[in-house]
Amino acid sequence: GSASAAKRFADFNGLPLPYLRVDPEGRLHAALGLHAGPAWSWPKWVPDVVLEVLLSSLPGGIPSPDSGFELREVADAWLRYLAMCAGVAAPGTLPEILRGYLGDRSAPERLRPDEVVTAGFVQIGPGVGPVSIGPISYENAWAEEAGYQRPVELATVRLKNMVEALGNWDEYVSNPTQIARRGATFIFEEPSGECIYEYR
């Protein structure tokens, strides 16, 4: 993304801006050998009009002629991204998705007790309950529990982040060909610079 995307991301997540770096072309991801989905491309026999219909239904839409991005390279990026969401060439994705719904007693809470997440007609909170889906409302059995990552809690955090990203897509995504780049976490010891933890 861009510098403005980094600022918006920092504001949304409460992260100190000086700790963020912008890499619009994904060079750091490539240098670290991070996952970028399967090396798939749309077959040549799939006509451009089909890709245009597909992209018109996705965030960012069809790349404009003056964007500098080709229709097929953006469509290929979406193909790889959606495959990763389904767990293809994305190690650990499906177990992590399940953990988000089932909870994890070894992980800390992710939502403040007063936090409310709203996504269209869905409202969750404060905390992990009550839940309203349109006219239907219910209370999670674990809503009063604390001290661990409760069922659906991580999924709710992901929903909050997804609503932010999709609702501000054009600000966050300056290069749609890079959407399949998967992040990683590295923790370094100071002052030695030794990597003491990594998750790819």
Side-chain angles (χ1 to χ4, degrees):
S2 63
S4 66
K7 181 171 184 339
R8 182 177 189 102
F9 181 80
D11 291 345
F12 178 73
N13 287 293
L15 297 172
L17 189 58
Y19 293 119
L20 296 179
R21 298 293 179 269
V22 177
D23 182 16
E25 304 305 318
R27 289 186 184 99
L28 179 60
H29 285 75
L32 291 170
L34 301 181
H35 301 287
W40 294 352
S41 295
W42 287 98
K44 298 286 186 209
W45 54 263
V46 174
D48 286 356
V49 68
V50 170
L51 301 179
E52 289 173 354
V53 169
L54 172 71
L55 290 177
S56 69
S57 68
L58 295 168
I62 302 166
S64 65
D66 61 342
S67 70
F69 301 109
E70 298 293 327
L71 175 73
R72 286 195 172 263
E73 69 179 344
V74 174
D76 287 348
W78 271 106
L79 176 64
R80 294 174 188 137
Y81 174 77
L82 293 172
M84 285 179 68
C85 290
V88 178
T93 295
L94 296 181
E96 191 62 17
I97 289 171
L98 287 174
R99 188 174 79 94
Y101 287 101
L102 300 176
D104 184 348
R105 290 202 172 266
S106 67
E109 295 175 27
R110 295 293 306 267
L111 291 172
R112 294 185 322 270
D114 62 340
E115 192 166 358
V116 175
V117 175
T118 302
F121 58 86
V122 177
Q123 181 172 305
I124 303 169
V128 293
V131 176
S132 297
I133 304 172
I136 301 167
S137 294
Y138 64 91
E139 184 82 30
N140 287 318
W142 51 84
E144 300 301 318
E145 295 180 16
Y148 73 101
Q149 189 174 284
R150 287 119 344 148
V152 306
E153 185 169 9
L154 183 56
T156 302
V157 171
R158 290 182 184 138
L159 174 65
K160 180 178 91 167
N161 291 334
M162 182 180 72
V163 168
E164 167 67 11
L166 294 178
N168 301 286
W169 184 264
D170 291 334
E171 186 170 355
Y172 278 120
V173 181
S174 58
N175 185 344
T177 66
Q178 300 299 314
I179 60 172
R181 296 279 182 191
R182 184 165 142 177
T185 302
F186 297 88
I187 299 176
F188 298 94
E189 186 77 58
E190 285 192 18
S192 70
E194 177 190 356
C195 182
I196 57 174
Y197 173 85
E198 70 175 67
Y199 180 83
R200 296 172 179 255

